[in-house]
Amino acid sequence: MDLETFFPGSGRLEPRAAFRTDAPSLDLNGTWRFRLSPTANVPEDFAGPDYDDSGWDDLPVPSHWVLHGHGAPAYTNVVYPIPVDPPRVPDENPTGDYRRAFDLPEGWTGGRLRFEGAESFARVWLNGHELGFSTGSRLPVEYDAGPYLRPGRNVLAVRVHQWSAATYLEDQDMWWLPGIFRDVTLTRSAADVFVRASYQDGRGTLSFDGPGTLSVPELGVENLEPGTEITLDVRPWTAETPHLYDAVVTCPGETVRLRVGFRTISIEDGVLLANGRPLLLKGVNRHEFHPEHGRAVPYETMREDVLLMKRHNVNAVRTSHYPPHPDFLDLCDELGLWVIDECDLETHGFGGFGWRGNPTDDPRYKDALLDRMRRMVERDKNHPSVIMWSLGNEAGVGRNLAVMADWTRERDPSRPLHYEGDWTCAHTDVYSRMYASHAEVEAIGRREEDPLDDPELDARRRQMPFLQCEYAHAMGNGPGGLAEYQELFERYPRLAGGFVWEWIDHGLTHPEHGYAYGGDYGEPVHDGNFVIDGLVFPDRTPSPGLIDLKKVFEPVTFEFGDGVVRVVNGHGFTDLSHLRFVATVQVEGETVAEHRLDVPAQGGECKLPGFPDRPGGERWLTVRAELAADEPWAPAGHEVAWGQALLTLHDPAPNDLLTAFTRTATASEATEPADAVPAATVPAATVPADGVPADGVEAGDGPRDGVGLRYGGGAGARDEVIAGDSAFDAATGRLIRLFGTDVEGPRLDLWRAPTDNDRADGLADKWHRLGLHRLTHRVDEITVGEELTVRTRVAPAATNLGMLATYRWTFDGGLRLVLDIEPEGAWRDPVARIGVTMTLPGAAVDRVTWFGPGPGEAYPDTGMSARVGRWSATVEELQTPYVRPQENGHRADVRWAELGGIRVSGEPMFGLTARRWSAAELAAARHRPDLVAGDRLHLHLDLAHQGIGTATCGPRPLPAYDLMARRTTLRLRFDRA
């Protein structure tokens, strides 16, 4: 039967370019009649124009029927949700029948029916006449409607099958969402145009193929004939300077309008060039996704995506793993993004069977694969933003790749070819990889990668640019390691950059879960929350990962020196004249001075003005680069880049800069071995673990302004160690009252609610097996003198590993804690955190104010976007709402924080996390609504955290960010706020 045919379609017209035209067209989007059947074996009588569909449902087009109450979505990453038996598919094949009646305008003759996208097999009838069928879900198809159109009422009928032989080509790590999900149009346009506009040495060349003549009024070009090439003075198109020229092609019966950009992509000595200059791709992978509409993404949402990318210093997009809606490429042309346009092809599920039967190497699928490549290239060939064609994704290797590549090179030799799945690069022009480690990327940058077995292919590949078509998997909390990757990309010219995976979390709006992921619809086979791996949340709120990426991708950097700042222009194709620079000095987070800087257009050294030497704390200089005027993608004042440096304190030469701010260095220093603890110099009283006072210590009230003991007081009363209006349980040495507030803790904590990366790295399992989530605390000795000393051993059951934790408390109106930590036993794996946890009454704390990096979360290998300042947020605002809850919200290198009338200070710094649920409750949650605020505030005050990494798909944290158990000290101070 046709569903099992290898052929891509029938009755279709030749593919052609997408463009604007004045030819009449009729928009057939809107409300259609719809019926869903569980199998494909349904009579075709519904296609008749007089068929009674009054009992059917209404369904919007474009849309996916499973998002409108007909069946349910399903998510898999690699595996197919049907038996792998190409070209056959199951009898249980959801089949959607569509009907749309429309009136033909008076005088209309001829025309084409154009479908921009339907998944996965669509057969079309017009007024009862079958026009044909097509596969290739994310690609347009046209049928000649002219012979079957009638004056007045016409009926268009479409049958869409979810599964077909083409399904085996569309295993693309996303929700399986069938239906007519892109636009449907009846058009009288029939033209096809291919404009070629290149740029070199300040001059552009222009020619075109197609009917009619080409005019570009702004360039004085009129009635250029097909095949004629002319040279012009033009402004080039780049992602930084996306200059477009309006072109008009006067064709028989219609006028076609295009926007032409002059640019040339080339490769020289292994370096990717645009217009003769090195091109560094700072990219993201973008699936089409909307939490309510799936892949039927509204135009306004597409535009917002591009604006968000531009505002976060993203300059490139890989259209993973299929051509996007054509409007998206128009936006990339207009606003400026480099694009790798990817063919609608992935056969990843065959990898689990050693690629046996892989369609990429099956000659019966040759026509289908070539058809998909042709339809993409012909549709998108006029877009200057498209700088490479990609043969597809994760489809193994095989003879059909050569067919696709050979045709594409002949049709369009101006763009390099990309494909990651064949590391020999036999059919490509760039060497592409996914998730190569930092060490391997550096080796490739040096051209010292492991050789291929074939010397000829190896020599060819070493002359290719290298890019990471996927890296830094943005799943959950993370990704870590962004800055280290970017440093390599910028150091080695062969490295052309890469594309972070991926742009958006594919969380579908769900009435119970907030956002759903794999398994939430009862799928028997699914890949869980692996589809929640984006830089923006489903509602397109930027995640901390995107905020970090903006910092890492900054096109301007700052180097501070004695009284000067050196501004380095990292743009590839423009100077700094579109930016203004502002220098601000803050003392303890409060602004004391602000000046505009006169920075040369090409960058360079800039003398800083004198700044006031105001006492009162740390004095930080921040220099910001902002847009000087409105740009199409952001308003004037939008911050593009920033840098920070710590100024000297109380120095007569106020411009002397001590250091540029590097948070990760501070974090690593925090785990250095502790200094020796001085011996007590005053007589001490000792209280054993059972709380009975030692000889010579009298019961009774101690001094209210010092440390003392109080015992007894009646039935049920417990003995306390008093420190002003704070108190400790005399039996455990644990703080129970802080400045009159009921508290529990602090006590040593080594665990965190695992992140997605912790799980993928195997650390979460190791922590669970070791028992870091169920530590026991044994008090060995309590000593009271001028300080309260509590010696404990902290360890999980079923192991001989432990931590000796000695708490030393002193009181001088406030409480000072020095916590000495010393591991016992052979701790072979990193621990999650080293710090203390305590709880306070939840009602006592609404807002937290702190001085240190902010405003967002930061971990040892993330948080590059955090800058030192004074910040304030509600407890709710401190939480990062990851779709699958996990460790989040940690503020690193905090100097002091105020919450609920209490001020906590680090000596010198600490990590801060405040939540209305415990780490155990956070770990148990699977969706956001599972987290319910309790009556306690859970406060974590940390010395250090384990790094995040990107192990969900990629390397684990770099060794520098592993938190190994060793002797160390945490120093904190508590005062009234």
Side-chain angles (χ1 to χ4, degrees):
M1 75 184 282
D2 284 335
L3 287 178
E4 297 174 358
T5 182
F6 294 97
F7 198 67
S10 67
R12 307 173 307 167
L13 298 170
E14 284 294 303
R16 62 191 183 110
F19 43 66
R20 290 171 293 160
T21 173
D22 65 356
S25 66
L26 194 60
D27 182 359
L28 297 180
N29 292 339
T31 301
W32 291 46
R33 302 295 286 164
F34 179 78
R35 176 187 67 186
L36 181 66
S37 302
T39 73
N41 299 317
V42 186
E44 296 178 354
D45 57 346
F46 82 101
D50 299 323
Y51 181 86
D52 182 6
D53 59 18
S54 60
W56 290 18
D57 296 316
D58 287 340
L59 184 71
V61 170
S63 76
H64 303 280
W65 68 65
V66 293
L67 299 184
H68 290 267
H70 304 280
Y75 166 65
T76 63
N77 169 28
V78 175
V79 300
Y80 289 95
I82 60 174
V84 180
D85 184 25
R88 290 167 287 277
V89 295
D91 292 339
E92 296 83 5
N93 188 353
T95 296
D97 290 332
Y98 295 76
R99 285 172 54 87
R100 171 76 151 89
F102 62 94
D103 291 327
L104 199 65
E106 188 174 352
W108 185 292
T109 58
R112 299 174 173 219
L113 276 169
R114 183 177 178 94
F115 292 80
E116 295 291 347
E119 183 175 329
S120 71
F121 181 111
R123 189 184 304 277
V124 180
W125 292 263
L126 178 61
N127 294 322
H129 299 277
E130 183 175 340
L131 301 183
F133 76 89
S134 188
T135 60
S137 299
R138 267 66 66 176
L139 290 160
V141 60
E142 291 184 323
Y143 302 96
D144 184 4
Y148 310 108
L149 286 170
R150 301 173 179 176
R153 183 177 184 270
N154 288 260
V155 175
L156 176 61
V158 183
R159 171 162 287 178
V160 177
H161 303 281
Q162 180 163 13
W163 312 125
S164 68
T167 297
Y168 294 103
L169 307 180
E170 297 178 359
D171 185 23
Q172 289 147 319
D173 184 11
M174 58 188 181
W175 292 99
W176 296 91
L177 301 174
I180 304 173
F181 69 96
R182 286 188 185 162
D183 308 286
V184 182
T185 309
L186 176 64
T187 177
R188 282 168 52 184
S189 171
D192 187 20
V193 175
F194 190 177
V195 175
R196 294 177 170 87
S198 60
Y199 181 87
Q200 185 174 7
D201 300 328
R203 302 272 283 171
T205 58
L206 178 67
S207 64
F208 86 104
D209 296 331
T213 60
L214 172 69
S215 299
V216 186
E218 186 178 349
L219 296 175
V221 176
E222 295 184 5
N223 299 322
L224 183 68
E225 295 289 335
T228 302
E229 182 176 280
I230 58 175
T231 302
L232 305 157
D233 290 324
V234 299
R235 295 172 58 188
W237 188 97
T238 73
E240 295 171 9
T241 59
H243 190 81
L244 296 170
Y245 293 91
D246 290 326
V248 178
V249 182
T250 304
C251 303
E254 64 181 300
T255 299
V256 170
R257 298 187 179 276
L258 298 166
R259 306 189 76 185
V260 176
F262 290 83
R263 59 104 188 95
T264 294
I265 306 300
S266 59
I267 296 170
E268 294 182 13
D269 192 27
V271 179
L272 181 66
L273 305 176
N275 302 334
R277 295 185 181 185
L279 174 55
L280 184 60
L281 300 170
K282 301 176 180 181
V284 296
N285 286 275
R286 176 188 178 267
H287 267 294
E288 291 185 306
F289 183 77
H290 187 283
E292 296 173 355
H293 308 303
R295 284 187 284 282
V297 181
Y299 175 82
E300 296 77 13
T301 303
M302 296 183 216
R303 187 175 187 88
E304 184 59 30
D305 276 348
V306 175
L307 294 176
L308 267 177
M309 291 174 189
K310 294 286 290 186
R311 291 168 184 168
H312 289 85
N313 295 326
V314 171
N315 74 2
V317 172
R318 174 175 172 239
T319 68
S320 52
H321 299 292
Y322 42 83
H325 192 288
D327 286 348
F328 180 78
L329 297 180
D330 288 338
L331 290 165
C332 294
D333 293 343
E334 173 192 341
L335 296 169
L337 289 171
W338 309 103
V339 175
I340 295 182
D341 202 358
E342 192 147 272
C343 187
D344 190 11
L345 170 63
E346 181 169 335
T347 64
H348 203 171
F350 286 86
F353 314 113
W355 297 103
R356 292 187 302 277
N358 183 16
T360 307
D361 196 40
D362 186 337
R364 296 174 298 175
Y365 272 106
K366 180 188 72 172
D367 290 339
L369 268 63
L370 178 58
D371 174 75
R372 289 168 183 246
M373 198 71 192
R374 288 184 65 228
R375 287 157 65 192
M376 175 181 70
V377 171
E378 296 295 358
R379 191 196 74 169
D380 298 339
K381 59 198 173 191
N382 293 311
H383 288 283
S385 59
V386 175
I387 61 168
M388 290 187 203
W389 302 118
S390 177
L391 302 179
N393 180 71
E394 292 176 323
V397 297
R399 70 196 80 181
N400 295 332
L401 294 176
V403 174
M404 299 164 71
D406 290 347
W407 179 88
T408 305
R409 283 198 174 94
E410 181 178 354
R411 180 60 172 147
D412 179 27
S414 72
R415 293 176 171 100
L417 294 186
H418 167 273
Y419 178 66
E420 181 273 340
D422 182 1
W423 291 2
T424 72
C425 303
H427 308 296
T428 68
D429 302 303
V430 296
Y431 178 22
S432 177
R433 291 282 301 282
M434 294 180 181
Y435 308 108
S437 69
H438 298 82
E440 187 175 4
V441 169
E442 180 166 16
I444 294 170
R446 294 175 178 270
R447 306 189 194 218
E448 296 173 355
E449 67 265 32
D450 292 339
L452 296 170
D453 293 336
D454 186 321
E456 184 176 344
L457 285 175
D458 182 69
R460 180 175 177 270
R461 194 180 71 176
R462 289 181 192 275
Q463 291 304 307
M464 291 181 177
F466 174 81
L467 62 86
Q468 287 249 61
C469 67
E470 295 180 21
Y471 78 106
H473 196 251
M475 184 174 175
N477 187 333
L482 286 171
E484 291 82 359
Y485 272 123
Q486 193 63 25
E487 190 277 330
L488 294 171
F489 295 156
E490 294 178 1
R491 191 195 318 169
Y492 296 103
R494 186 190 183 192
L495 304 182
F499 299 83
V500 171
W501 186 267
E502 64 166 310
W503 176 243
I504 189 168
D505 285 343
H506 300 200
L508 289 169
T509 301
H510 192 282
E512 298 176 9
H513 301 317
Y515 292 114
Y517 49 77
D520 287 338
Y521 295 98
E523 309 100 297
V525 176
H526 65 84
D527 286 301
N529 69 315
F530 206 74
V531 77
I532 307 296
D533 52 7
L535 291 163
V536 298
F537 298 130
D539 64 358
R540 286 173 161 78
T541 300
S543 75
L546 181 60
I547 306 301
D548 277 355
L549 194 68
K550 177 185 178 182
K551 178 64 179 170
V552 170
F553 280 175
E554 283 179 345
V556 181
T557 55
F558 305 92
E559 299 170 357
F560 296 93
D562 187 6
V564 298
V565 57
R566 179 175 177 79
V567 181
V568 180
N569 181 18
H571 292 92
F573 304 92
T574 189
D575 60 23
L576 302 177
S577 58
H578 64 297
L579 301 174
R580 64 181 180 225
F581 293 83
V582 181
T584 303
V585 173
Q586 292 186 327
V587 175
E588 206 74 5
E590 294 185 354
T591 300
V592 298
E594 187 166 284
H595 298 278
R596 291 281 294 272
L597 299 180
D598 185 14
V599 176
Q602 299 303 321
E605 197 169 275
C606 179
K607 183 173 176 58
L608 293 167
F611 296 124
D613 182 22
R614 181 177 299 178
E618 295 182 19
R619 194 160 56 111
W620 283 87
L621 167 67
T622 304
V623 178
R624 306 189 310 274
E626 305 172 341
L627 290 181
D630 290 347
E631 296 285 348
W633 49 273
H638 168 78
E639 184 179 274
V640 173
W642 62 273
Q644 249 188 346
L646 176 66
L647 295 168
T648 56
L649 300 176
H650 321 307
D651 192 308
N655 287 334
D656 181 30
L657 302 177
L658 288 180
T659 181
F661 172 55
T662 305
R663 184 189 55 73
T664 52
T666 307
S668 63
E669 291 167 4
T671 58
E672 287 298 312
D675 297 333
V677 179
T681 57
V682 296
T686 299
V687 180
D690 59 9
V692 178
D695 292 344
V697 178
E698 296 182 0
D701 290 343
R704 300 301 297 174
D705 57 351
V707 174
L709 291 175
R710 182 175 65 197
Y711 302 106
R718 60 180 173 183
D719 296 333
E720 296 179 348
V721 179
I722 303 298
D725 54 0
S726 300
F728 301 83
D729 187 317
T732 64
R734 192 171 300 157
L735 188 66
I736 57 176
R737 191 166 59 253
L738 180 60
F739 310 126
T741 299
D742 169 34
V743 301
E744 297 174 3
R747 61 179 185 172
L748 182 65
D749 191 7
L750 305 176
W751 185 69
R752 69 188 183 199
T755 67
D756 288 323
N757 286 300
D758 292 337
R759 295 185 185 96
D761 189 19
L763 280 177
D765 286 341
K766 291 178 180 178
W767 295 338
H768 193 270
R769 288 196 298 271
L770 184 58
L772 294 188
H773 61 300
R774 49 174 175 80
L775 295 176
T776 63
H777 298 256
R778 185 189 73 213
V779 177
D780 290 335
E781 184 181 60
I782 299 175
T783 303
V784 181
E786 288 195 358
E787 69 176 18
L788 169 65
T789 302
V790 183
R791 303 183 189 278
T792 70
R793 188 177 190 273
V794 180
T799 177
N800 66 350
L801 301 181
M803 291 281 189
L804 300 180
T806 302
Y807 303 79
R808 302 178 188 275
W809 293 93
T810 56
F811 177 66
D812 58 2
L815 282 176
R816 182 172 184 263
L817 170 64
V818 177
L819 173 59
D820 294 323
I821 302 162
E822 184 174 350
E824 280 191 334
W827 292 77
R828 304 185 188 281
D829 296 308
V831 296
R833 67 173 0 125
I834 297 177
V836 296
T837 183
M838 59 189 297
T839 71
L840 291 74
V845 182
D846 175 60
R847 179 169 290 274
V848 179
T849 299
W850 74 97
F851 175 57
E857 71 182 23
Y859 292 82
D861 53 347
T862 73
M864 288 71 68
S865 60
R867 70 187 82 182
V868 176
R870 184 177 300 198
W871 311 99
S872 184
T874 66
V875 173
E876 288 67 31
E877 290 168 343
L878 289 174
Q879 315 311 308
T880 302
Y882 294 113
V883 171
R884 179 173 182 177
Q886 56 197 275
E887 166 64 37
N888 73 90
H890 177 260
R891 269 61 181 179
D893 299 346
V894 173
R895 278 66 163 171
W896 56 258
E898 294 180 352
L899 62 166
I902 296 170
R903 180 182 176 105
V904 185
S905 304
E907 297 181 353
M909 290 174 280
F910 64 98
L912 170 70
T913 312
R915 305 189 181 107
R916 299 201 185 278
W917 37 77
S918 68
E921 291 169 329
L922 182 60
R926 291 295 176 265
H927 298 88
R928 294 180 187 175
D930 297 342
L931 293 170
V932 179
D935 60 1
R936 303 292 291 178
L937 181 81
H938 298 262
L939 184 63
H940 296 271
L941 308 173
D942 292 321
L943 182 68
H945 257 269
Q946 166 66 11
I948 297 296
T950 180
T952 49
C953 201
R956 65 176 312 277
L958 289 165
Y961 302 119
D962 277 337
L963 180 59
M964 307 306 297
R966 56 178 175 173
R967 185 170 179 260
T968 188
T969 298
L970 172 65
R971 297 177 174 88
L972 298 170
R973 180 179 175 85
F974 300 85
D975 293 283
R976 289 184 178 276

